[in-house]
Amino acid sequence: EKGGHEYFMLKEIDEQPEALANTLRGHFEAGRIILDEQRISDQDLRDVDKVFVVACGSAYHSGLVAKYAIEHWTRLPVEVELASEFRYRDPVLDRDTLVVAVSQSGETADTLEAVRHAREQKARVLAVCNTNGAQIPRESDAVLYTHAGPEIGVASTKAFLAQIAANYLVGLALAQARGTKYPDEVAREFAELEAMPAAVQKVLSTVDQVRDLGRRIADSKAVLFLGRHVGFPVALEGALKLKELAYMHAEGFAAGELKHGPIALVEEGLPIVVVMPSPKGRAVLHSKLVSNISEIQARGARTIVIAEEGDEAVRPFADELIEIPAVPTLLQPLVSTVPLQVLAAEIARTRGYDVDKPRNLAKSVTVE
Ligand code: M6R
């Protein structure tokens, strides 16, 4: 049932192109983004003037990624908040607030309570969920299912990629409702998403290289992850994967913060994973990150660089270079996350840990 894989997680990493295709399928018909369930009117969607994404763990990271796209496409302010914090701070909610609750299981207690709080305050709730008929979608005003298939590994992989794609569909649905994007622009964005399963398939060809790297750094004390723009939440997700699977100290940082503290952590031999923006798509950020890498390398860090194919400028500073295909900037997390999943799984495996069932963790967290 693991399809020849040693762990469910590796099988689920491999299934990501198919999972993504399934998330997109059926959500764009006759030139329009469509949700699976909608119990509010189109006018209600048009009236939305503020978006909150609430979620936990990896689902929260999917929201952080989506903020960049949703704000860009809809011109609506988007806040992304941990579900466990959201309702305890009296957030400003009303009928025109859309709360997007992202949950693979649809049963996460913190997220469910955040949904209930939002609805008591008259906000509209849209669930992004991987489990048909789960409690969170049942209590929501609209639902978009990710259709990634059941995820057995405790560490989220294919559900995470599917959540990013689904959150993007929510952004496009809002842009379509508000008219901030013309129908042909929505169609173009959707077509770019449809090209992503093939791009993810391509990045899977780096699996052997990344596993080899994982074995070589498995006895490190800690690993840091750096990124900027959409690469920042990818860095957070890479660090979470490593913490939960390999029980290692791992932290993700916004690369721009390095000089504001984290650079003090850099010491000889410390592996630092850097998620590079595209040299063409984000030239300014790219050059800032190249200088960050040269700084940490000069202080002895072992630089592991995830970069777009053909990124020659970063090559001299990369002790290890993992290449990902060139894709539109907002979609890069769908490819750059994959090597980080493989890296965490292989480090855990090398250290002798159960990749599918990390200690102390449950797949679905049904108590607050
Ligand atoms: O089922 P949910 O998406 O609501 O779960 C949220 C988190 O518990 C989950 O993403 C968790 O962080 C994973 N173990 C991460 O790999």
Side-chain angles (χ1 to χ4, degrees):
E1 87 205 300
K2 292 176 197 154
H5 292 277
E6 201 178 337
Y7 293 104
F8 279 108
M9 181 180 172
L10 296 179
K11 172 172 178 267
E12 288 159 2
I13 287 173
D14 248 22
E15 284 170 354
Q16 291 183 112
E18 193 192 332
L20 265 185
N22 289 340
T23 301
L24 300 175
R25 185 167 305 122
H27 286 134
F28 187 69
E29 302 287 344
R32 291 188 67 75
I33 301 286
I34 42 179
L35 306 174
D36 291 290
E37 293 169 20
Q38 190 177 326
R39 296 179 274 274
I40 46 174
S41 68
D42 287 345
Q43 186 62 44
D44 291 333
L45 273 188
R46 241 190 311 281
D47 288 344
V48 167
D49 64 9
K50 176 171 56 166
V51 178
F52 280 101
V53 181
V54 293
C56 306
S58 293
Y60 167 70
H61 296 154
S62 84
L64 292 176
V65 170
K67 173 184 166 89
Y68 296 85
I70 302 177
E71 288 189 336
H72 181 60
W73 292 335
T74 65
R75 310 313 298 147
L76 288 169
V78 179
E79 282 190 50
V80 187
E81 187 146 1
L82 293 166
S84 56
E85 290 293 321
F86 179 72
R87 79 190 170 109
Y88 294 103
R89 67 165 182 87
D90 197 15
V92 183
L93 302 165
D94 60 32
R95 304 179 60 79
D96 296 334
T97 310
L98 183 70
V99 172
V100 180
V102 185
S103 174
Q104 188 284 130
S105 60
E107 305 289 348
T108 299
D110 292 298
T111 312
L112 178 59
E113 291 304 329
V115 164
R116 289 178 175 157
H117 178 76
R119 296 201 71 204
E120 275 161 20
Q121 307 291 311
K122 306 281 179 259
R124 321 290 180 163
V125 176
L126 188 159
V128 168
C129 183
N130 195 43
T131 314
N132 270 50
Q135 197 61 26
I136 291 170
R138 278 214 300 272
E139 296 195 22
S140 298
D141 300 297
V143 185
L144 199 147
Y145 283 111
T146 42
H147 300 299
E151 192 177 64
I152 311 293
V154 164
S156 185
T157 53
K158 64 176 181 174
F160 175 70
L161 256 58
Q163 282 164 346
I164 294 175
N167 294 346
Y168 280 13
L169 295 178
V170 171
L172 290 176
L174 284 170
Q176 158 184 288
R178 292 166 50 73
T180 50
K181 278 209 167 286
Y182 292 116
D184 61 318
E185 293 174 308
V186 174
R188 210 167 327 126
E189 299 292 353
F190 188 82
E192 287 188 339
L193 278 166
E194 276 191 309
M196 292 312 290
V200 175
Q201 191 63 54
K202 201 162 170 208
V203 82
L204 286 172
S205 67
T206 63
V207 163
D208 290 342
Q209 181 202 351
V210 177
R211 291 185 75 168
D212 174 65
L213 167 65
R215 288 191 287 274
R216 284 185 283 118
I217 63 168
D219 61 355
S220 306
K221 267 200 323 214
V223 180
L224 303 185
F225 294 77
L226 299 178
R228 280 189 85 133
H229 193 259
V230 288
F232 170 40
V234 171
L236 298 178
E237 174 65 7
L240 175 63
K241 289 277 98 79
L242 197 55
K243 276 182 259 208
E244 68 179 331
L245 295 173
Y247 321 146
M248 271 164 90
H249 174 232
E251 290 295 322
F253 296 105
E257 279 290 293
L258 258 184
K259 290 193 186 60
H260 302 286
I263 201 164
L265 290 168
V266 179
E267 55 185 31
E268 194 62 39
L270 175 74
I272 304 189
V273 179
V274 185
V275 183
M276 287 300 292
S278 161
K280 290 178 238 92
R282 278 287 182 280
V284 174
L285 291 186
H286 180 273
S287 67
K288 289 190 196 304
L289 262 159
V290 170
S291 71
N292 288 148
I293 300 180
S294 70
E295 283 159 6
I296 57 176
Q297 202 185 37
R299 287 166 177 76
R302 178 170 184 176
T303 60
I304 298 165
V305 177
I306 317 281
E308 193 172 292
E309 298 165 328
D311 183 344
E312 294 306 322
V314 82
R315 197 173 278 275
F317 306 104
D319 296 326
E320 310 277 348
L321 181 67
I322 299 159
E323 291 190 306
I324 54 174
V327 298
T329 292
L330 290 170
L331 303 183
Q332 200 207 43
L334 296 172
V335 285
S336 55
T337 303
V338 177
L340 307 189
Q341 300 167 338
V342 176
L343 188 67
E346 189 61 22
I347 293 177
R349 203 185 69 88
T350 308
R351 288 162 78 109
Y353 304 141
D354 184 338
V355 172
D356 286 333
K357 289 196 182 58
R359 69 182 182 200
N360 306 337
L361 296 174
K363 181 65 185 164
S364 165
V365 185
T366 51
V367 287
E368 272 189 79

